[in-house]
PDB file of all heavy atoms in Angstrom:
ATOM      1  N   VAL A  94      -8.871  17.478  18.029  1.00 96.00           N
ATOM      2  CA  VAL A  94      -9.811  18.127  18.864  1.00 96.00           C
ATOM      3  C   VAL A  94      -9.490  17.889  20.312  1.00 96.00           C
ATOM      4  O   VAL A  94      -8.555  17.264  20.645  1.00 96.00           O
ATOM      5  CB  VAL A  94     -11.218  17.845  18.457  1.00 96.00           C
ATOM      6  CG1 VAL A  94     -11.478  18.136  16.995  1.00 96.00           C
ATOM      7  CG2 VAL A  94     -11.624  16.343  18.705  1.00 96.00           C
ATOM      8  N   LEU A  95     -10.441  18.260  21.137  1.00 93.00           N
ATOM      9  CA  LEU A  95     -10.327  18.100  22.617  1.00 93.00           C
ATOM     10  C   LEU A  95     -10.020  16.658  22.973  1.00 93.00           C
ATOM     11  O   LEU A  95     -10.597  15.679  22.394  1.00 93.00           O
ATOM     12  CB  LEU A  95     -11.605  18.503  23.242  1.00 93.00           C
ATOM     13  CG  LEU A  95     -11.656  18.589  24.790  1.00 93.00           C
ATOM     14  CD1 LEU A  95     -10.815  19.691  25.271  1.00 93.00           C
ATOM     15  CD2 LEU A  95     -13.173  18.926  25.133  1.00 93.00           C
ATOM     16  N   GLU A  96      -9.042  16.514  23.945  1.00 92.00           N
ATOM     17  CA  GLU A  96      -8.685  15.141  24.378  1.00 92.00           C
ATOM     18  C   GLU A  96      -9.790  14.514  25.309  1.00 92.00           C
ATOM     19  O   GLU A  96      -9.512  14.318  26.505  1.00 92.00           O
ATOM     20  CB  GLU A  96      -7.323  15.169  25.102  1.00 92.00           C
ATOM     21  CG  GLU A  96      -6.131  15.315  24.165  1.00 92.00           C
ATOM     22  CD  GLU A  96      -5.832  13.946  23.444  1.00 92.00           C
ATOM     23  OE1 GLU A  96      -5.116  13.122  24.021  1.00 92.00           O
ATOM     24  OE2 GLU A  96      -6.393  13.812  22.297  1.00 92.00           O
ATOM     25  N   ARG A  97     -10.929  14.288  24.673  1.00 94.00           N
ATOM     26  CA  ARG A  97     -11.999  13.588  25.442  1.00 94.00           C
ATOM     27  C   ARG A  97     -12.532  12.450  24.514  1.00 94.00           C
ATOM     28  O   ARG A  97     -12.810  12.674  23.374  1.00 94.00           O
ATOM     29  CB  ARG A  97     -13.119  14.560  25.796  1.00 94.00           C
ATOM     30  CG  ARG A  97     -12.956  15.326  27.092  1.00 94.00           C
ATOM     31  CD  ARG A  97     -14.087  16.285  27.409  1.00 94.00           C
ATOM     32  NE  ARG A  97     -15.375  15.649  27.073  1.00 94.00           N
ATOM     33  CZ  ARG A  97     -16.513  16.258  27.206  1.00 94.00           C
ATOM     34  NH1 ARG A  97     -16.518  17.689  27.480  1.00 94.00           N
ATOM     35  NH2 ARG A  97     -17.700  15.747  26.918  1.00 94.00           N
ATOM     36  N   LEU A  98     -12.625  11.265  25.149  1.00 96.00           N
ATOM     37  CA  LEU A  98     -13.009  10.142  24.331  1.00 96.00           C
ATOM     38  C   LEU A  98     -14.414  10.329  23.699  1.00 96.00           C
ATOM     39  O   LEU A  98     -14.587  10.015  22.506  1.00 96.00           O
ATOM     40  CB  LEU A  98     -12.983   8.882  25.240  1.00 96.00           C
ATOM     41  CG  LEU A  98     -13.413   7.558  24.514  1.00 96.00           C
ATOM     42  CD1 LEU A  98     -12.439   7.253  23.419  1.00 96.00           C
ATOM     43  CD2 LEU A  98     -13.400   6.382  25.564  1.00 96.00           C
ATOM     44  N   ASP A  99     -15.277  10.805  24.434  1.00 96.00           N
ATOM     45  CA  ASP A  99     -16.702  10.901  23.858  1.00 96.00           C
ATOM     46  C   ASP A  99     -16.797  11.897  22.718  1.00 96.00           C
ATOM     47  O   ASP A  99     -17.454  11.782  21.742  1.00 96.00           O
ATOM     48  CB  ASP A  99     -17.761  11.285  24.960  1.00 96.00           C
ATOM     49  CG  ASP A  99     -17.377  12.665  25.699  1.00 96.00           C
ATOM     50  OD1 ASP A  99     -16.198  13.025  25.664  1.00 96.00           O
ATOM     51  OD2 ASP A  99     -18.312  13.294  26.248  1.00 96.00           O
ATOM     52  N   VAL A 100     -16.009  12.989  22.813  1.00 96.00           N
ATOM     53  CA  VAL A 100     -16.000  14.025  21.803  1.00 96.00           C
ATOM     54  C   VAL A 100     -15.353  13.443  20.487  1.00 96.00           C
ATOM     55  O   VAL A 100     -15.847  13.636  19.425  1.00 96.00           O
ATOM     56  CB  VAL A 100     -15.170  15.321  22.211  1.00 96.00           C
ATOM     57  CG1 VAL A 100     -14.936  16.175  21.095  1.00 96.00           C
ATOM     58  CG2 VAL A 100     -15.773  15.979  23.375  1.00 96.00           C
ATOM     59  N   LYS A 101     -14.327  12.696  20.673  1.00 97.00           N
ATOM     60  CA  LYS A 101     -13.689  12.158  19.423  1.00 97.00           C
ATOM     61  C   LYS A 101     -14.561  11.093  18.804  1.00 97.00           C
ATOM     62  O   LYS A 101     -14.678  10.949  17.611  1.00 97.00           O
ATOM     63  CB  LYS A 101     -12.299  11.559  19.887  1.00 97.00           C
ATOM     64  CG  LYS A 101     -11.281  12.682  20.248  1.00 97.00           C
ATOM     65  CD  LYS A 101      -9.915  12.107  20.653  1.00 97.00           C
ATOM     66  CE  LYS A 101      -8.980  13.073  21.203  1.00 97.00           C
ATOM     67  NZ  LYS A 101      -8.526  13.998  20.198  1.00 97.00           N
ATOM     68  N   GLN A 102     -15.135  10.161  19.684  1.00 97.00           N
ATOM     69  CA  GLN A 102     -16.006   9.185  19.143  1.00 97.00           C
ATOM     70  C   GLN A 102     -17.240   9.759  18.386  1.00 97.00           C
ATOM     71  O   GLN A 102     -17.565   9.236  17.306  1.00 97.00           O
ATOM     72  CB  GLN A 102     -16.507   8.212  20.278  1.00 97.00           C
ATOM     73  CG  GLN A 102     -15.443   7.310  20.858  1.00 97.00           C
ATOM     74  CD  GLN A 102     -15.971   6.458  22.001  1.00 97.00           C
ATOM     75  OE1 GLN A 102     -16.864   6.884  22.772  1.00 97.00           O
ATOM     76  NE2 GLN A 102     -15.429   5.295  22.089  1.00 97.00           N
TER      77      GLN A 102
END
Side-chain angles (χ1 to χ4, degrees):
V94 302
L95 187 66
E96 282 287 274
R97 275 181 43 186
L98 179 61
D99 59 335
V100 172
K101 293 178 187 291
Q102 287 179 328

